Amino acid sequence: MNDSLTGTAPRGSRRRSFSAGVAVGLAVVLLIVGVGAGFAVGKYYGNSTTTAASGSCSTTISETGSSLIYPYLQILSPNYTAQNPGICLSPQSTGSGTGISSAESGVVDIGGTDAYLLPSTAAQYNLINVPIAISAQLVVYNLPGISQHLNINGTIAAMIYQGTITKWNDPLIVAANPGVSLPSNTIVPIHRSDGSGDTFMWSSLCYMSWAGWKQGYGTTISWPVGPGATGNAGMVTTLASTQYGIAYIGISYLSEIKSTAGLQYGALGDQNANYNGSVSSGGAGQQNYIMPTPQNISQDANLALANLQPPSVAISLILGGVPGATNLQLGKGGTNSTATYTTPYPDTNLEYTLISLEPKSTAHQKWVVNFLEWALTYGGTYAAKANFLPLTAEVIGYDMLALNAVPVSA
Amino acid sequence: MPAGEAPAAPAASPPVARARTDRWAWVGSPLALLPLLLVATVAIVLLVASGLHNFGGSFWSTRYNFLPGDPAGSSWGIGAFVAGTAITAGLALVLATALSLALSISIVVYLPSLPSRVLTILTNLLAGIPSVVYGIWGFVVLAPYFGFTLEPGLRDVLGWLPGFGGPASEIGPYGILLAVFILTIMIIPLTTALMRDALRSVPHDLIDAGLALGATRWEVARRVRMRTARLGIGSAILLGFGRAVGESVAVAMVIGAVPRLPLSLYSASTSQASFIFYQLDSAFFYPFLLRFLVEIALVLLAIALIVNLAAQRLTRTEIATATTVGGAGGP
């Protein structure tokens, strides 16, 4: 088509210019690809974790990870900079998995996560777990006509979520709630459809409470029954529209739960006596049912720490937890053994930050440690604004010991 | 996810601009290889990342059972995801096709020019709304309405129809029905615009001939316009399907994301794109889950490429038949 309009160019020069064009074009393509690859490599393997000074920041501490921790760090950030001029914290809400992988590859100073990094993995990457806040899971239900706090234990929860218990008037639930007239309707167990620390805590409770639990535990698992919902907000909406439903929701949504008609939260049993045994028809052992009050949640954190050895503060608090916590199975049993903490709330969890024991720059790491120490010391006054409970003095003590192991220079 | 169009190669241009066009040809024509290179790179990277680990007989089963502590004991079937994608995109496409066909015929044939122009502008406006806005609208506003009112009502009235009955426990705010609704609204502007152009491009001779033979406007619309433009309408449908298949955010927000075959239209289900969207962060904890997500993405890539190639093929056939006048009119 072009030829008829402009067809004066000799064939030879045309071909030559075309092949030259191919060469130039390929060079451009390679250049683009090369720059892109170089950028990607630099981004992921580069050794500069200190972002160039922007504005009044001479040092920027980078954080990425858990969307649950993010609002808390956002509140801390300006307050920290106000007291430490020139030192800034730049937090990102990307998700716990991203937080862990970024801390492992060293692209951020701090990785935030809802689930602790296993001590073995932490050792492999020279990271330590430093808890900075406490959270807990509530068991919430929508039962028309029933407004009191029901008693649910881990065994019952696991059987409901596996589809073994299907009716609200199941003998196990009735036995746990003497005097309550439970309906014969079918239970609808609602779970999180997105990956989440909430799912980690709830599936851990199920896993540790009933030998028949088949789905394992993790930030995402395959739920055998029930609909899914997105985020804690989606859980509240779905449960509100699902009569006879049950859901697990983070305690930071307590006020939303209280203000939503038809929803009520329950007390959780503190025993997992049947972990390796069969479930007796009489119920799941002698349970104390614990309400999710700040005192009871703090007690669980302290109980779990009671026998803990520093330096890695990685611990399962589910049902009281145990030292080391290399495996959640270690957490079974013995939750009432410490007389000091008589009413520990069973589904409690710490929110973690991960930092490196082998920082690229010990001078920069000084500020990372400084920020965490500041957050541990003064963060308690801001925790409520992010719907977290302040850390207990005991947890802070362990954190400070752990931070002592991080090499820093002046 | 339409494969990028090749940058304009030097086409017909006035002789005065020849020098410049030729210089552009140096850079431009090899640049046309870039999209091809990118698609190939993406496919190769995904293939390598997945290691084709799970592909095999059980890969196409509908059983997906993820056990975080036990990758070997997990079941990695992709069937439920493909089914969820096909059901949501397919139903949305049926609804969108019917509605946009009606809409485009009204715009082209029946409506006077002012309302026709207003409708055109309005549908184009809808096309510009980002999918996440539809998603959050569905999540916040529509979901409670679907769960409380619409779905129980539909089940009471239409329960005898397949898909509209099923157990009451399947009813909830998030599920297939809401995803289909959101997807339908999302693709209507695209399919309407494409069908409108296809119907408009029918030669006036054919229409005048039909009217001269005493056919009514509806008969001409159905027998002349729609028949002549059938390939264009077909490619519009395929492109709409491609858009619906690839949508992740909006679907993820409203579908409930339960990886199993749905029992009814009210069931929570999942689609390939939305599942990848939601599980990506968790996949950093579990490398084998990440591999599975990559495999889902590979299958999605294959589907998207096939659909888009088919749509392009239809468009090309349409251009070819349109130039051979007469053959387009049908029997």
Side-chain angles (χ1 to χ4, degrees):
Chain A
M1 186 162 31
N2 223 0
D3 282 18
S4 62
L5 289 172
T6 64
T8 48
R11 270 243 172 272
S13 89
R14 223 176 118 93
R15 197 169 296 144
R16 217 178 308 127
S17 80
F18 185 76
S19 56
V22 169
V24 172
L26 277 181
V28 169
V29 168
L30 287 177
L31 191 69
I32 293 171
V33 171
V35 167
F39 177 76
V41 169
K43 186 166 182 235
Y44 288 104
Y45 298 101
N47 55 5
S48 127
T49 47
T50 314
T51 331
S54 61
S56 59
C57 298
S58 59
T59 298
T60 300
I61 303 165
S62 55
E63 188 273 347
T64 197
S66 163
S67 50
L68 204 57
I69 302 178
Y70 175 72
Y72 181 50
L73 294 178
Q74 240 189 344
I75 294 167
L76 292 186
S77 174
N79 290 298
Y80 175 72
T81 305
Q83 290 176 26
N84 299 275
I87 317 298
C88 305
L89 174 77
S90 108
Q92 290 178 346
S93 170
T94 50
S96 296
T98 312
I100 285 184
S101 78
S102 301
E104 284 173 355
S105 62
V107 293
V108 290
D109 299 321
I110 302 176
T113 170
D114 305 331
Y116 61 81
L117 196 57
L118 284 176
S120 53
T121 318
Q124 185 187 339
Y125 291 97
N126 281 306
L127 297 171
I128 53 168
N129 291 285
V130 182
I132 57 160
I134 301 180
S135 67
Q137 283 300 299
L138 304 177
V139 55
V140 191
Y141 44 85
N142 179 349
L143 272 176
I146 292 182
S147 57
Q148 65 258 59
H149 303 290
L150 289 181
N151 292 334
I152 304 286
N153 58 53
T155 312
I156 292 173
M159 294 175 99
I160 289 175
Y161 273 85
Q162 188 124 295
T164 310
I165 290 179
T166 57
K167 303 286 182 195
W168 275 107
N169 62 354
D170 186 278
L172 283 177
I173 307 179
V174 171
N177 294 282
V180 182
S181 148
L182 289 157
S184 61
N185 300 69
T186 303
I187 309 174
V188 184
I190 303 163
H191 63 259
R192 286 283 290 275
S193 49
D194 47 337
S196 157
D198 299 298
T199 296
F200 179 82
M201 292 167 69
W202 191 248
S203 58
S204 297
L205 183 74
C206 293
Y207 175 81
M208 292 175 56
S209 299
W210 183 42
W213 181 252
K214 297 192 182 80
Q215 301 309 125
Y217 60 91
T219 56
T220 180
I221 67 166
S222 293
W223 300 94
V225 288
T230 303
N232 276 317
M235 291 291 265
V236 174
T237 311
T238 307
L239 186 61
S241 69
T242 309
Q243 288 193 341
Y244 307 103
I246 190 168
Y248 56 91
I249 299 174
I251 195 164
S252 49
Y253 277 72
L254 184 59
S255 53
E256 279 83 351
I257 293 165
K258 282 179 172 167
S259 65
T260 305
L263 303 194
Q264 186 55 282
Y265 60 98
L268 276 179
D270 64 351
Q271 298 281 309
N272 56 345
N274 292 308
Y275 174 71
N276 273 328
S278 59
V279 177
S280 68
S281 59
Q286 286 302 308
Q287 299 271 3
N288 298 308
Y289 287 94
I290 315 292
M291 287 297 287
T293 62
Q295 293 76 17
N296 295 345
I297 292 168
S298 301
Q299 280 204 13
D300 192 61
N302 286 343
L303 168 63
L305 285 165
N307 297 312
L308 187 74
Q309 300 300 315
S312 186
V313 193
I315 188 161
S316 160
L317 305 190
I318 316 291
L319 288 161
V322 285
T326 52
N327 188 323
L328 273 174
Q329 286 191 39
L330 293 169
K332 62 178 169 162
T335 50
N336 277 347
S337 58
T338 310
T340 327
Y341 308 114
T342 50
T343 55
Y345 184 72
D347 213 6
T348 301
N349 191 37
L350 295 173
E351 297 296 320
Y352 294 89
T353 55
L354 300 168
I355 64 167
S356 175
L357 285 174
E358 277 190 345
K360 281 154 192 147
S361 153
T362 48
H364 182 71
Q365 195 72 350
K366 184 189 89 166
W367 289 110
V368 177
V369 170
N370 181 273
F371 165 72
L372 286 176
E373 285 176 348
W374 179 88
L376 292 168
T377 313
Y378 301 104
T381 49
Y382 306 106
K385 284 186 188 167
N387 287 318
F388 281 128
L389 295 171
L391 287 174
T392 65
E394 288 84 344
V395 179
I396 293 172
Y398 280 102
D399 275 347
M400 292 296 190
L401 276 177
L403 286 174
N404 281 345
V406 180
V408 296
S409 64
Chain B
M1 191 175 58
E5 294 289 320
S13 47
V16 263
R18 215 195 114 224
R20 212 188 305 158
T21 347
D22 273 2
R23 220 176 298 140
W24 169 239
W26 281 31
V27 183
S29 31
L31 263 185
L33 290 174
L34 193 57
L36 189 70
L37 206 70
L38 281 177
V39 172
T41 314
V42 168
I44 290 168
V45 165
L46 287 182
L47 273 172
V48 170
S50 83
L52 294 175
H53 190 79
N54 296 310
F55 283 101
S58 62
F59 181 66
W60 301 102
S61 86
T62 55
R63 180 161 167 73
Y64 169 78
N65 187 32
F66 169 59
L67 304 171
D70 183 15
S74 303
S75 307
W76 305 99
I78 199 182
F81 305 94
V82 177
T85 309
I87 292 170
T88 47
L91 288 178
L93 196 68
V94 169
L95 291 175
T97 302
L99 286 169
S100 25
L101 208 50
L103 206 54
S104 51
I105 288 179
S106 306
I107 289 174
V108 174
V109 181
Y110 285 100
L111 290 176
S113 81
L114 182 67
S116 154
R117 228 179 304 153
V118 170
L119 255 184
T120 305
I121 291 170
L122 285 180
T123 45
N124 288 348
L125 269 182
L126 285 180
I129 298 179
S131 60
V132 68
V133 175
Y134 287 118
I136 201 160
W137 175 55
F139 184 81
V140 176
V141 181
L142 293 181
Y145 171 72
F146 270 61
F148 278 121
T149 316
L150 184 70
E151 294 184 356
L154 275 178
R155 187 171 170 275
D156 284 347
V157 179
L158 296 174
W160 49 273
L161 265 176
F164 286 91
S169 57
E170 294 293 303
I171 288 179
Y174 311 106
I176 289 194
L177 199 63
L178 184 53
V180 167
F181 183 81
I182 296 284
L183 278 178
T184 306
I185 293 178
M186 271 178 49
I187 56 178
I188 279 181
L190 175 70
T191 45
T192 304
L194 292 171
M195 287 181 186
R196 197 184 56 214
D197 293 348
L199 290 173
R200 274 215 182 110
S201 67
V202 172
H204 271 279
D205 312 358
L206 294 174
I207 294 156
D208 293 344
L211 291 173
L213 285 172
T216 62
R217 274 206 296 182
W218 167 240
E219 283 166 342
V220 170
R222 193 167 72 87
R223 301 218 166 151
V224 178
R225 277 195 198 264
M226 279 173 65
R227 184 164 294 182
T228 313
R230 66 188 184 280
L231 291 174
I233 292 171
S235 71
I237 292 172
L238 279 177
L239 288 173
F241 187 66
R243 169 105 204 258
V245 161
E247 179 55 42
S248 56
V249 182
V251 173
M253 287 165 121
V254 297
I255 199 170
V258 181
R260 61 179 162 84
L261 289 180
L263 299 178
S264 71
L265 281 177
Y266 319 121
S267 298
S269 184
T270 193
S271 72
Q272 288 161 270
S274 66
F275 187 75
I276 293 171
F277 175 73
Y278 265 146
Q279 299 300 319
L280 196 54
D281 183 61
S282 277
F284 285 113
F285 286 102
Y286 315 108
F288 36 94
L289 179 60
L290 185 58
R291 205 163 51 201
F292 183 64
L293 294 188
V294 169
E295 285 160 356
I296 296 180
L298 258 180
V299 175
L300 196 58
L301 178 71
I303 295 174
L305 284 181
I306 292 169
V307 169
N308 276 290
L309 282 178
Q312 286 190 17
R313 198 176 171 80
L314 275 188
T315 320
R316 222 170 296 133
T317 322
E318 187 201 16
I319 292 165
T321 44
T323 44
T324 52
V325 183

